[in-house]
Amino acid sequence: MSVLWELFTIFFRIGAFTFGGGYAMLPIIQEEVVDKKGWLTEDEILDCFAIGQSTPGVIAVNTATFIGYKRKGIIGGIVATTGVVLPSIIIITIISTFFQHFQEYEIVQHALGGIRVAVVALILNTVYKMYKKSIKDWLGISLFIAAFILIAFLDISPVIVIIIAALVGMFKGHNDRFKEIDG
Amino acid sequence: MMIYLTLFLEFFKIGLFAIGGGLAAIPFIQELSKNYGWITQEQILDMIAVSESTPGPIGVNAATFAGNTTAGIFGGIIATIGVIAPSIIIILIIAHYFAKFSETSIVKSAFSGIRPAVTGLIATVGFEVARTTLLNMEKYNKATNNLLSILDIKAIILFCAIIYLLNKYKKHPILYLVAAAFVGVIFKY
């Protein structure tokens, strides 16, 4: 199976099962791209999300393009993106052509009620895994807590939080190198 | 022919300026509804509801829906290509340079700060969806002051079951989503 076909099918699955916004795709990306394929590490996934969040456009599309490019260049980026949007195009075209009041069916609402609970469990489970992998010291713990408080309770834009965190990281890196030269 | 070009350009603009997730696109689509009369306010509400209750990125769903309502199946495809084109171009450029510079010490140390913050950001998303899904704020009654009534017991039971199964069996996430949909239909979530 060629890499491009794999990219397409993986991102098609992600597009078909992401309910409720870009971050809901994280558990499936983790399973497919990190655990099964080993194409990226947890750290690299976080880098993708940081870039996807701070650039314009749909986060899921940004992440798909980024991972596709890393794997197989420009053509890989385009193939992964096509895969992630194709389920939307098919499903929404059918719904908006034939039944615009799709979400009012009782069975749809109950199914979504169940799916939403699963999405919560999957996201929290992934946060826990990411936390274990990406946070290695006290500075990491402080940045994690600070980002959480700033975004959840003080309504600061995630883009600003990411920029501040980058500056903190650069400052610490600079200090560490200085110490190395000094000592 | 003109309508397709206008659709493409308008959705290209949305893709370029809507930063931070699909719902950021909604005000732009409202603007389109005012300027062109392509879709009515009511259809926008339908669009949001459908986009949120179907799989796929919300911004992409909204573009397909709006384009389809305006100019049929082909309109939906054009609007979608318009909304994702800026992402593809910008990310390909960034990814190209990122590959070049990611090994430099300054980028490495910047990302060593960014990673814990992004984990915090994702935790915020988890916290938000947990609050709206597992708690039932409007059921809380100040008079009886019964704090337990805030908890959505049905949802919490399913949540705990999934967390338990996730850690015990480590199956594919899609399996849990499908199973939860069935539980939702059977037990009327």
Side-chain angles (χ1 to χ4, degrees), chain B residues 65-150:
Chain B
F65 192 98
N68 193 294
T69 313
T70 311
I73 293 177
F74 198 56
I77 294 172
I78 293 286
T80 308
I81 295 175
V83 89
I84 65 175
S87 290
I88 297 179
I89 297 167
I90 294 169
I91 295 292
L92 285 179
I93 295 170
I94 291 177
H96 175 77
Y97 285 102
F98 188 75
K100 269 190 184 161
F101 295 116
S102 63
E103 289 307 312
T104 61
S105 62
I106 187 141
V107 173
K108 267 192 185 162
S109 42
F111 274 91
S112 74
I114 289 175
R115 282 177 203 135
V118 172
T119 311
L121 163 65
I122 300 168
T124 315
V125 177
F127 173 73
E128 269 308 309
V129 287
R131 196 173 56 88
T132 53
T133 312
L134 305 182
L135 303 183
N136 226 330
M137 286 309 191
E138 65 270 26
K139 273 215 183 140
Y140 177 67
N141 185 340
K142 272 218 170 96
T144 55
N145 201 16
N146 182 3
L147 278 172
L148 279 176
S149 66
I150 297 178

Side-chain angles (χ1 to χ4, degrees), chain A residues 74-85:
Chain A
I74 293 177
I75 183 80
I78 292 171
V79 165
T81 308
T82 310
V84 90
V85 301

Side-chain angles (χ1 to χ4, degrees), chain A residues 71-131:
Chain A
R71 194 65 206 138
K72 203 78 187 153
I74 293 177
I75 183 80
I78 292 171
V79 165
T81 308
T82 310
V84 90
V85 301
L86 208 54
S88 290
I89 295 181
I90 297 169
I91 295 168
I92 299 288
T93 302
I94 293 171
I95 288 176
S96 63
T97 311
F98 298 107
F99 40 124
Q100 291 218 351
H101 296 281
F102 155 84
Q103 75 283 359
E104 285 162 23
Y105 292 85
E106 217 176 300
I107 186 164
V108 172
Q109 287 185 351
H110 291 318
L112 283 172
I115 287 172
R116 270 189 220 110
V117 177
V119 170
V120 176
L122 289 169
I123 292 184
L124 290 180
N125 193 55
T126 306
V127 170
Y128 176 67
K129 278 197 221 162
M130 291 270 168
Y131 183 93

Side-chain angles (χ1 to χ4, degrees), chain B:
Chain B
M1 198 59 223
M2 236 356 244
I3 180 89
Y4 295 127
L5 187 65
T6 325
L7 261 177
F8 178 81
L9 290 176
E10 287 296 341
F11 277 91
F12 189 90
K13 262 202 287 192
I14 294 177
L16 192 55
F17 292 113
I19 299 185
L23 289 176
I26 304 300
F28 288 92
I29 293 176
Q30 266 165 343
E31 193 68 25
L32 288 188
S33 137
K34 260 191 248 148
N35 293 347
Y36 295 92
W38 281 342
I39 46 177
T40 63
Q41 289 297 321
E42 232 166 62
Q43 282 172 318
I44 290 183
L45 291 181
D46 280 349
M47 179 194 78
I48 297 171
V50 169
S51 304
E52 286 189 327
S53 42
T54 47
I58 292 169
V60 173
N61 290 349
T64 311
F65 192 98
N68 193 294
T69 313
T70 311
I73 293 177
F74 198 56
I77 294 172
I78 293 286
T80 308
I81 295 175
V83 89
I84 65 175
S87 290
I88 297 179
I89 297 167
I90 294 169
I91 295 292
L92 285 179
I93 295 170
I94 291 177
H96 175 77
Y97 285 102
F98 188 75
K100 269 190 184 161
F101 295 116
S102 63
E103 289 307 312
T104 61
S105 62
I106 187 141
V107 173
K108 267 192 185 162
S109 42
F111 274 91
S112 74
I114 289 175
R115 282 177 203 135
V118 172
T119 311
L121 163 65
I122 300 168
T124 315
V125 177
F127 173 73
E128 269 308 309
V129 287
R131 196 173 56 88
T132 53
T133 312
L134 305 182
L135 303 183
N136 226 330
M137 286 309 191
E138 65 270 26
K139 273 215 183 140
Y140 177 67
N141 185 340
K142 272 218 170 96
T144 55
N145 201 16
N146 182 3
L147 278 172
L148 279 176
S149 66
I150 297 178
L151 303 175
D152 186 335
I153 300 295
K154 242 164 131 186
I156 291 172
I157 291 172
L158 180 58
F159 173 81
C160 294
I162 296 171
I163 289 283
Y164 173 76
L165 293 172
L166 260 175
N167 287 295
K168 185 138 196 245
Y169 295 108
K170 304 199 190 314
K171 294 273 187 234
H172 199 291
I174 291 175
L175 192 81
Y176 297 101
L177 290 167
V178 173
F182 277 107
V183 172
V185 171
I186 295 167
F187 295 100
K188 297 200 184 301
Y189 270 68

Side-chain angles (χ1 to χ4, degrees), chain A residues 151-167:
Chain A
I151 299 168
F153 300 111
L154 303 175
D155 255 336
I156 309 283
S157 153
V159 179
I160 293 173
V161 173
I162 289 173
I163 293 171
I164 297 172
L167 292 174

